[in-house]
Amino acid sequence: MTPTTTHLLTGLLDGPDLPDVVEIDGVTLSRERLVGAAAAWAASLPDEGPVAVLAEPRPETLVAVVGGLLAGVPVVPVPPDAGPGEVRHVLTDSAATAWVGSARDGVDLPQVPVRLDVSGGLPPSPAPDAAGIILYTSGTTGAPKGVALTHRALAAGLDGLIDAWDWTAADVLVHGLPLFHTHGLCLGVLGPLRVGGRLRHTGRPRPERYAETSGSMYFGVPTVWSRIAEDPASARALSSARLLVSGSAPLPAPVFDRVAALTGQAPVERYGMTETMITLSARADGERRAGWVGLPVRGARTRVRGEDGAPVAPDGQSIGRLEVTGPMVFDAYLGRPEATAESFTDDGWFVTGDLAAVDETGFHRIVGRESVDLIKSGGYRIGAGEIETSLLARPEVAEVAVAGVADADLGQRIVAWVVPSGTADEPLARALVEHVSTDLSWHKRPREVRFVAELPRNAMGKVVKKSLIEE
């Protein structure tokens, strides 16, 4: 069959036969080889799936993902470091019927091997509303929930970024992100394949690997950019890039400034969720502001509402609950009607669970998760993010997380968990408290500073504050 431009992977199917459309794990795949191997693999599937794919950074993973999307068989990426319990939950919850990747204990599904040296004909294009990728949330509020993103939603989300970032077939994307979440897989793999560009996956997102891999766009999480900022030679090697994109967690302002100084351009920050793709981003041709995630992408709409349901003032300071809508938003959690109902308003907006502020120009600032980053202390509503940004400006602070801990007098008291860059002692703790009280407001100062060797993080690099609070 002749591919059409309505397909999610239109750039891959309709573009010229680039000899190096993908480089990963030391293997280079041409467009013809990738499509041929994916089509042949799709033809070998035992049924209509879903199919679970162990998301290792290997060419076989990409062939399986592309093959599933060509055949209309939902792909369920499984983190390579997932334990037996998590794997069992994902396979059972998604109702996967086949497995791709090395054998794992407890996985008794039929294995479908991937070959790179075969070729097959293209199957009919799947329906736009067919499930394309089934991703699982981080599970911070219970067992991970399955999020089925349709071909239509994936295409809409990518098209919003293609517009915001002026993303074209001439771009070469470089990253070393995991291939089991929105950032690394949907944006980092499907993005270049939809636009018709190239992908260079570095295996691991190390500064020296980014520096030695030529590209026009680089994706990284804040931990990656922090390490690049500490490696001036590698950072300067990226100065010829067109865009440096940071996401999946807030980028500390000092890292933003350091990367901008070393590379000659400010990073592009954006915001999204597993359930929504990317809904907010700074634009390639627009303002980039440290700590702010920009404007709604094409097709997305946002609103920020207070506890009373009324819109908060667009003054850049007032905090409210962020809600979004648009064609890139998912429809429902797999088998979780109650969780789905709780996540949408009566008029159909998705409740992100994140707190945000918006200014008069429509620029958004994410304050944090409503469950752990909105601190109600002494009658004040305080965002943890601005305290963290203030503390990160101090050279003695390598990393920090701020949250509210139950307090009989204040309701919640502000606690800062600090990874020190040097010696940690009581005088430093007092100095950090004093710094916040003068940099922000007296009522925003930490009532307690706890020094720790490291902060607990999930696979995306996000700090798991509930673990800190529970400990």
Side-chain angles (χ1 to χ4, degrees):
M1 136 172 211
T2 301
T4 68
T5 55
T6 58
H7 199 288
L8 170 62
L9 303 179
T10 178
L12 177 69
L13 300 179
D14 290 352
D17 183 29
L18 296 175
D20 56 349
V21 67
V22 168
E23 290 182 9
I24 183 170
D25 195 31
V27 176
T28 298
L29 297 177
S30 67
R31 178 164 283 138
E32 180 179 12
R33 189 181 180 197
L34 175 56
V35 173
W41 177 84
S44 72
L45 289 171
D47 50 40
E48 296 181 352
V51 58
V53 178
L54 188 63
E56 298 173 308
R58 295 171 52 81
E60 290 82 1
T61 300
L62 301 192
V63 168
V65 170
V66 172
L69 293 172
L70 291 178
V73 174
V75 175
V76 186
V78 178
D81 61 348
E86 182 179 353
V87 173
R88 185 166 51 251
H89 169 74
V90 169
L91 298 187
T92 302
D93 190 75
S94 66
T97 61
W99 173 265
V100 176
S102 55
R104 295 289 297 268
D105 291 341
V107 177
D108 56 3
L109 297 175
Q111 292 198 30
V112 186
V114 176
R115 293 180 57 185
L116 305 180
D117 59 347
V118 296
S119 184
L122 287 173
S125 296
D129 290 326
I133 304 284
I134 300 176
L135 300 173
Y136 276 79
T137 62
S138 58
T140 55
T141 56
K145 297 187 287 291
V147 176
L149 294 171
T150 65
H151 288 246
R152 188 192 305 276
L154 288 163
L158 292 174
D159 288 346
L161 295 180
I162 289 169
D163 171 70
W165 297 345
D166 294 333
W167 200 346
T168 74
D171 280 307
V172 178
L173 173 62
V174 177
H175 73 85
L177 300 174
L179 302 180
F180 53 85
H181 55 62
T182 302
H183 196 171
L185 179 60
C186 298
L187 277 59
V189 173
L190 304 188
L193 298 185
R194 179 163 178 79
V195 80
R198 293 174 169 89
L199 166 64
R200 305 287 180 264
H201 195 279
T202 62
R204 293 182 178 274
R206 294 173 178 167
E208 66 274 14
R209 292 190 179 185
Y210 274 41
E212 66 190 18
T213 307
S214 178
S216 61
M217 300 170 65
Y218 291 80
F219 285 179
V221 297
T223 301
V224 173
W225 293 116
S226 177
R227 292 170 180 170
I228 289 175
E230 295 171 357
D231 185 345
S234 293
R236 294 189 182 100
L238 308 185
S239 60
S240 60
R242 191 175 66 81
L243 287 181
L244 309 176
V245 181
S246 179
S248 297
L251 182 67
V255 177
F256 180 102
D257 294 338
R258 179 70 170 161
V259 170
L262 289 169
T263 65
Q265 65 165 301
V268 167
E269 294 191 68
R270 87 299 183 281
Y271 166 84
M273 298 181 67
T274 302
E275 295 92 336
T276 67
M277 296 282 286
I278 304 304
T279 50
L280 292 163
S281 179
R283 296 184 61 87
D285 58 355
E287 180 184 6
R288 304 174 198 179
R289 193 188 309 171
W292 294 72
V293 292
L295 305 164
V297 302
R298 188 176 68 186
R301 291 187 294 155
T302 66
R303 64 188 187 190
V304 182
R305 303 203 296 179
E307 290 183 329
D308 59 358
V312 304
D315 55 14
Q317 296 297 323
S318 299
I319 297 171
R321 179 185 294 119
L322 177 65
E323 299 173 357
V324 303
T325 188
M328 63 286 293
V329 177
F330 83 128
D331 295 322
Y333 293 111
L334 290 180
R336 306 282 187 91
E338 293 182 358
T340 300
E342 292 172 356
S343 299
F344 285 88
T345 64
D346 291 341
D347 56 349
W349 289 66
F350 177 68
V351 181
T352 66
D354 283 318
L355 299 168
V358 60
D359 70 9
E360 65 279 1
T361 70
F363 241 61
H364 290 64
R365 175 169 61 91
I366 304 299
V367 177
R369 296 296 291 172
E370 185 174 14
S371 58
V372 294
D373 291 319
L374 177 61
I375 304 171
K376 299 178 180 179
S377 182
Y380 293 99
R381 289 165 52 89
I382 303 163
E386 62 178 338
I387 303 174
E388 291 166 351
T389 298
S390 177
L391 287 169
L392 283 169
R394 296 279 303 212
E396 304 96 330
V397 177
E399 295 181 286
V400 64
V402 171
V405 174
D407 185 276
D409 178 43
L410 298 169
Q412 287 181 310
R413 70 180 184 277
I414 302 171
V415 177
W417 288 264
V418 173
V419 178
S421 56
T423 302
D425 53 24
E426 185 58 32
L428 175 58
R430 290 196 298 269
L432 295 180
V433 171
E434 178 64 21
H435 168 78
V436 175
S437 67
T438 55
D439 184 43
L440 299 178
S441 299
W442 177 252
H443 67 268
K444 296 179 180 179
R445 73 194 187 282
R447 299 301 181 110
E448 183 180 354
V449 174
R450 302 181 186 179
F451 294 109
V452 295
E454 61 181 10
L455 299 175
R457 297 180 182 273
N458 62 18
M460 292 290 294
K462 296 180 181 179
V463 175
V464 184
K465 292 188 178 181
K466 287 190 175 183
S467 295
L468 293 171
I469 296 171
E470 290 169 357
E471 290 174 1

